[in-house]
Structure formats: C-alpha cells, structure tokens
C-alpha cells in the first residue's frame, strides 16, 4: 500500500500495550482513568495529572490533518503529518494512499495500519 | 538575583574553516578556544570555568579540559540544549561569575558534519532507544527538514504566510554573506531564486535550508574587573532566558517557539523592549525558524512575520531590523549543525563595531542573540541573550 519501507518501531515495556493491541489490528489511545484525558505519545504516567492509571481505549480511528509535509527529497516521497484525533490529542503519522497535491490541513483521515518487517504494524492514516 | 551587568564577553572567535577533513573535532575545539583567549588577551591559565555541550567529544568537560590542559577549573557546565546551547551557556557563565564560581569562563563549540558526510537534514536519525517518543516518531520518517516544514505549512495555513515572504529571509542573509570572505554561499539570491529551488519538504525549498559546514567558535566571558583591565571593547551581558517547548501530551501549536518564553524573560532582566534592539542574531536552521522566533520575541505580532521580513526589512543599512550580518546559517556556516555560537559571535562583532563595514549597524549599542536547538516541529530548547556595549 505504500512504497516506503516503514522502520520497525522501538517497543518498550511502557509502550508494549499499545503495540500488542496494534498486532491485533486495534488502534488504542492512552486515556487517564483519573482525569479522563487522552494523551499522545503514549506513556505510563499521565502528562496532565501524573496518575499512573492509564486505560488503553479503542479509538474512533478518525482525525483531521493539523499539518503535513511531503518529503520530496526522499527516494520514495512520503507524507508526514500531524493528525488531530477525535479523542483530542494530535499525533505524528504518515498519510498514505493519497494524492500529494490535494493533501490539505483540515482534511478528514481514517486510521490504517502499515506493516513493518518482523515488527508490529504502525498506525497510518488515509483520506476518508 | 540578576546577571545584569555581572559579566562581560571579552573574547570571541569564529573558526575560518568551513571544511576541515584534516582536523579532529578536539583540535577544532582547541583552536577556537585559543583563538577566543587570544582575542581577549588572556591565556589558558586564566580559565577557571569551562562550558561545552553535546558536540564536545566523549563525555565533554573532562575530555576537553584534558586535551586543552586546563588545570585551574573550579566550575564546569555541559548543559546540552542542541544548537542553542552556547546562547544559554553564555547566560550560565554570567550566572556562575555572578555567584563567584569562576572569573574567566571559556565556552567552545566545534564539529565536522561536512567532512563526515552527514545528510543531517533529510535522513531520519535513530536516537537513544530509551527516548520514550522514539517508537512513535522514527517509523514515520521524521527528519529535521520535514519537521520544520510542518511548522511552515501550519503557519501558512493559520496566517497566510507565503513562500515568497519566507524567501526574503534568505535574500537578506545573502545580502550580508556577499561581504563575508569565509561564507559558503556568498552569492546574492533573489526571492525568485529561492522559490524556484527544488522542494526539499513542502513548503521548504533547498534555499530555505541552512548550509552544512565544519568549523566552530568560542567565547570568553569574564568578571567586570577583568573585562575593564583588558583592551577590548566592553560588551556586557544584560539579560538571558531559556526554556523548553514540546508537544505537551498532544496539545500544541506548531506556529510558536520557546522564544515566546525565553525572550520575555531576557527582556525583563535587561529592562529593555524589542524596539530598543539595534541588531539581532536569530537562529536560522531554516527560513521559517527565523520568522517564528522574530514573532515570538515581539519584533512583530504573531502571524505578522511574513509581512515583517519582506521587502528587505532584515537587510543591514536599509531594513528596520538588521539580522545575521555574517550571512548566518543560511549562507555563511553552521558548524557542528549548531548555530548558537556564531549567533553570539556576530552580535559581539556588531557591538564592538567590528562587523564588516558594509553590514556594520550604526551606533550598535544593544543586541540580541536568539537560538532554538533540536526540532521546532517536536521538542526544542530556546535561549535568548541580550548584550550591551558599554
Ligand atoms: Zn490524568
């Protein structure tokens, strides 16, 4: 689905729940059981209230492009982007299966997992 | 407690090399250290405070103090804030002097990314695997260039900033670089040249990016009594600020930088306003870096930066706010991929009246150096330093 080979993400003891869910095809977002807020990137300590009580909730998988850039200089040009999730936080990702020339800020996108070699799939987004 | 007036920049030296395949990094550090001490009229035996950052080989202070054979140290500081480290370290040196922890502070920077063939801006760099964000950034091909590009894209969307307006920043830098015999890109460029150069990462073109160069620089900062006993013009540190800006759990605005916090802190300490500043050195890893920092420092309103930098407003002699009169990172050099040191050095030249006559600002008695280190598109450190000629 994309030409660029995606690097295997570094999985740590802290991020393992996220990547285990990804292996099962589920996109989960870390949400604090104490303050109710969802944060990004995922961590074990809530960046908003400090609680260590994080629920891994199934995400809607929808968002809008906050900003993006097409890396023209790469052998296989690719679109990097920040996508603001329906749950609130904005995350770094790639936009795939898209026309680079019509990508725009505010565009609606949906999550799609991209395979990595011998690693968990990583959440990407495509227009829709 | 304030550092205002407690320390003076007595020595400044910029290595003339831009390509040093025949020199080691430690050797370059030593050459700039000796250059700055000679500029001040001091020697290694006078140095009792040593300051360096992540570009220093090995663990930093211990390795370099030994290489330089500094034997009188009673204060060391290796704060690593990326490319702006040296702007911050100048403030740290002033604070250490104010506290009596040292009398003569030496700060060094050097590196050879050009000789080592680093494609620093366009290749994703795998960092420390213990960095908690690494797994959520590296797979996506985040590079220096496309991170800053997303700041530019958002700024354009939010405020109507154009590629042509960004290009004016490069044009102004090239006007200054034409007078610098050491500059890597001494040719004048036009707005049309910049926007016609190949796209690297939308919306940034090749000429929106800084150069990759070898080299280095050093500063010597001293107690007032020592500064007054030397024969160099008196350049006093009057204000400093530093901060970190990051993605705040996913709630961020890419159109502002840490300069919005470090700048006001430095202005408050110095007791001056942006309108009082005669010359600015602004870290210019990319054109957008300059525009965002100028807004955050209060030289114009947030969002008005595009209009502010246009029509040559940053060109010395004709514009209202002369910037980076050595040609900056955009045209002159970017030693070790860290532009903070050369920002302070050119401000010192301006305050001493020792800039190239074609770019020397008249009656330059108050100058500001501003840097952001690491990545504006994710997390970065910002440092602001205000200096006054006495
Ligand atoms: Zn919380």
């Amino acid at each position: 689905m994309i030409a660029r080979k995606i690097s295997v993400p570094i999985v740590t003891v802290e991020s393992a729940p996220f990547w285990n869910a990804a292996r099962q095809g589920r996109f989960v977002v870390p949400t604090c059981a104490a303050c109710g807020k969802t944060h990004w990137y995922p961590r074990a300590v809530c960046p908003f209230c400090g609680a260590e009580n994080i629920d891994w909730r199934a995400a809607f998988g929808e968002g809008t492009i906050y900003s993006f850039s097409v890396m023209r200089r790469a052998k296989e040009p690719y679109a990097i982007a920040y996508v603001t999730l329906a749950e609130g936080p904005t995350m770094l990702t790639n936009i795939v299966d898209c026309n680079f020339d019509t990508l725009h800020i505010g565009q609606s996108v949906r999550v799609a997992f991209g395979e990595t070699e011998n690693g968990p799939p990583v959440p990407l987004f495509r227009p829709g | 407690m304030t550092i205002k007036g407690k320390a003076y920049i007595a020595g400044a030296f910029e290595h003339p090399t831009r390509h040093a395949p025949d020199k080691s990094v430690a050797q370059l550090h030593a050459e700039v250290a000796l250059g700055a001490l000679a500029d001040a009229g001091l020697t290694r035996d006078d140095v009792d405070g040593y300051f360096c950052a992540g570009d220093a080989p090995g663990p930093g202070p211990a390795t370099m103090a030994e290489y330089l054979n500094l034997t009188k140290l009673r204060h060391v500081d290796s704060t690593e804030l990326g490319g702006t480290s040296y702007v911050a370290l100048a403030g740290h040196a002033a604070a250490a002097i104010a506290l009596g922890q040292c009398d003569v502070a030496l700060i060094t920077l050097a590196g050879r990314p050009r000789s080592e063939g680093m494609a620093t801006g366009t290749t994703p760099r795998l960092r420390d695997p213990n960095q908690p964000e690494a797994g959520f950034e590296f797979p996506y091909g985040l590079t220096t260039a496309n991170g800053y590009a997303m700041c530019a894209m958002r700024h354009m969307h939010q405020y109507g900033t154009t590629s042509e307006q960004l290009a004016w920043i490069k044009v102004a830098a090239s006007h200054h670089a034409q007078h610098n015999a050491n500059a890597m890109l001494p040719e004048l460029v036009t707005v049309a040249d910049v926007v016609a150069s190949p796209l690297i990462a939308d919306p940034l073109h090749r000429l929106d990016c800084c150069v990759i160069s070898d080299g280095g620089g050093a500063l010597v900062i001293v107690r007032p009594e020592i500064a007054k006993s030397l024969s160099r013009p008196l350049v006093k540190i009057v204000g400093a600020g530093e901060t970190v800006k990051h993605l705040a759990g996913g709630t961020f605005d890419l159109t502002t930088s840490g300069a919005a916090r470090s700048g006001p802190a430095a202005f408050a300490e110095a007791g001056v306003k942006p309108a009082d500043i005669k010359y600015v050195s602004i870290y210019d890893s990319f054109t957008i870096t300059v525009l965002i920092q100028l807004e955050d420092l209060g030289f114009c309103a947030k969002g008005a930066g595009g209009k502010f930098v246009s029509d040559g407003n940053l060109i010395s002699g004709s514009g209202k706010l002369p910037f980076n009169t050595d040609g900056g990172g955009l045209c002159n050099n970017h030693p070790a991929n860290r532009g903070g040191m050369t920002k302070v050095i050119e401000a010192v030249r301006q305050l001493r009246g020792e800039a190239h006559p074609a770019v020397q600002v008249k009656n330059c008695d108050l100058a500001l150096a501003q840097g952001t280190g690491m990545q504006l598109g994710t997390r970065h450190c910002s440092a602001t330093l205000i200096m006054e000629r006495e």
Side-chain angles (χ1 to χ4, degrees):
Chain A
M1 124 184 143
I2 49 164
R4 193 177 69 90
K5 212 163 117 183
I6 300 173
S7 311
V8 176
I10 295 163
V11 180
T12 66
V13 61
E14 188 175 4
S15 65
F18 177 86
W19 296 112
N20 289 339
R23 283 183 196 278
Q24 296 159 13
R26 294 188 302 122
F27 176 48
V28 295
V29 289
T31 305
C32 177
C35 74
K37 290 183 183 159
T38 301
H39 67 263
W40 197 265
Y41 60 92
R43 57 201 91 166
V45 181
C46 173
F48 303 118
C49 78
E52 290 196 72
N53 196 355
I54 303 296
D55 285 339
W56 296 91
R57 292 202 187 149
F60 297 117
E62 292 166 6
T64 56
I65 296 177
Y66 170 81
S67 193
F68 70 98
S69 175
V70 177
M71 192 66 190
R72 307 278 178 182
R73 185 63 204 281
K75 255 187 220 134
E76 304 282 355
Y78 59 96
I80 197 162
Y82 277 115
V83 166
T84 304
L85 300 174
E87 287 81 4
T90 299
M91 66 175 279
L92 190 72
T93 189
N94 291 134
I95 310 295
V96 296
D97 298 339
C98 64
N99 178 347
F100 290 154
D101 299 324
T102 58
L103 273 183
H104 58 274
I105 289 173
Q107 192 170 356
S108 295
V109 289
R110 277 203 67 83
V111 75
F113 278 104
E115 297 304 317
T116 61
E117 216 169 291
N118 302 320
V122 302
L124 313 172
F125 287 78
R126 59 162 67 108
Chain B
M1 172 99 195
T2 175
I3 60 165
K4 185 177 180 179
K6 302 285 174 61
Y8 288 68
I9 302 178
F13 181 80
E14 178 192 344
H15 207 295
T17 191
R18 301 293 180 263
H19 190 217
D22 54 338
K23 289 182 195 289
S24 76
V25 172
Q27 183 181 6
L28 289 168
H29 272 268
E31 290 180 1
V32 296
L34 296 172
L37 286 165
D39 180 55
L42 293 166
T43 71
R44 276 179 299 164
D45 280 343
D46 297 310
V47 176
D48 62 354
Y50 178 61
F51 298 70
C52 61
D55 56 286
T63 294
M64 281 315 307
E66 178 178 54
Y67 187 94
L68 284 162
N69 202 21
L70 302 174
T71 57
K72 307 250 167 36
L73 295 181
R74 56 192 185 99
H75 188 79
V76 289
D77 181 339
S78 58
T79 303
E80 165 57 1
L81 304 179
T84 195
S85 298
Y86 324 91
V87 181
L89 288 174
H92 292 195
I97 290 168
L99 284 171
Q101 293 169 329
C102 61
D103 295 325
V104 175
L106 170 67
I107 310 174
T108 64
L109 152 86
R112 336 181 299 151
R114 190 176 174 197
S115 291
E116 290 164 12
M118 288 164 77
T120 29
T122 53
T123 309
R125 280 184 276 178
L126 185 55
R127 295 160 297 185
D128 172 6
N130 283 320
Q131 268 187 264
E133 73 280 5
F136 299 94
E137 292 182 353
F138 187 70
Y140 300 116
L142 178 68
T143 66
T144 308
N146 62 10
Y148 281 80
M150 286 192 285
C151 300
M153 193 69 91
R154 185 69 198 183
H155 202 281
M156 289 176 164
H157 171 80
Q158 220 159 301
Y159 300 113
T161 307
T162 65
S163 287
E164 287 75 14
Q165 290 173 332
L166 289 178
W168 269 110
I169 296 167
K170 178 75 158 199
V171 170
S174 80
H175 270 264
H176 301 147
Q178 66 178 323
H179 305 292
N180 183 345
N182 294 325
M184 282 185 67
L185 303 177
E187 299 84 17
L188 271 183
V189 299
T190 64
V191 167
D193 292 335
V194 179
V195 299
S197 65
L199 274 171
I200 300 294
D202 302 358
L204 298 178
H205 302 81
R206 175 168 292 153
L207 293 184
D208 285 298
C209 308
C210 66
V211 299
I212 295 174
S213 76
D214 300 342
L219 296 167
V220 175
I221 300 181
V222 303
R223 217 153 41 81
E225 298 77 6
I226 297 172
K228 285 166 190 170
S229 75
L230 301 169
S231 57
R232 302 299 276 135
L234 292 172
V235 173
K236 181 165 65 176
I237 293 176
V238 292
E242 66 186 53
T243 191
V244 171
K245 182 183 177 265
H246 50 69
L247 299 175
T251 62
F252 55 88
D253 173 3
L254 282 189
T255 67
T256 66
S257 72
R261 197 172 310 135
S262 66
F267 280 117
E269 185 164 45
V272 300
K273 336 177 271 304
D276 300 324
I277 302 289
K278 304 279 177 58
Y279 164 81
V280 290
S281 284
I282 306 284
Y283 201 160
D284 52 348
S285 47
F286 298 90
T287 51
I288 186 65
T289 323
V290 175
L291 185 137
I292 287 176
Q293 291 173 103
L294 284 172
E295 292 176 346
D296 292 337
L297 291 168
F299 288 103
C300 62
K302 179 49 70 183
K307 191 157 179 273
F308 183 80
V309 302
S310 290
D311 305 321
N313 201 36
L314 303 179
I315 299 175
S316 185
S318 54
K320 281 204 196 81
L321 187 67
F323 100 123
N324 299 5
T325 41
D326 58 345
L330 288 169
C331 295
N332 177 19
N333 64 343
H334 194 215
N337 299 315
R338 290 160 172 261
M341 175 62 79
T342 43
K343 296 294 164 289
V344 180
I345 292 173
E346 182 65 5
V348 169
R349 288 195 193 104
Q350 281 287 351
L351 291 166
R352 288 173 168 179
E354 294 177 356
H356 189 283
V359 297
Q360 175 66 51
V361 175
K362 285 197 190 74
N363 307 315
C364 187
D365 55 2
L366 197 64
L368 177 148
Q370 163 66 36
T372 44
M374 303 175 184
Q375 166 66 276
L376 224 56
T378 57
R379 58 205 65 80
H380 62 271
C381 305
S382 175
T384 312
L385 187 74
I386 301 177
M387 295 147 278
E388 185 181 358
R389 189 191 61 214
E390 192 171 287

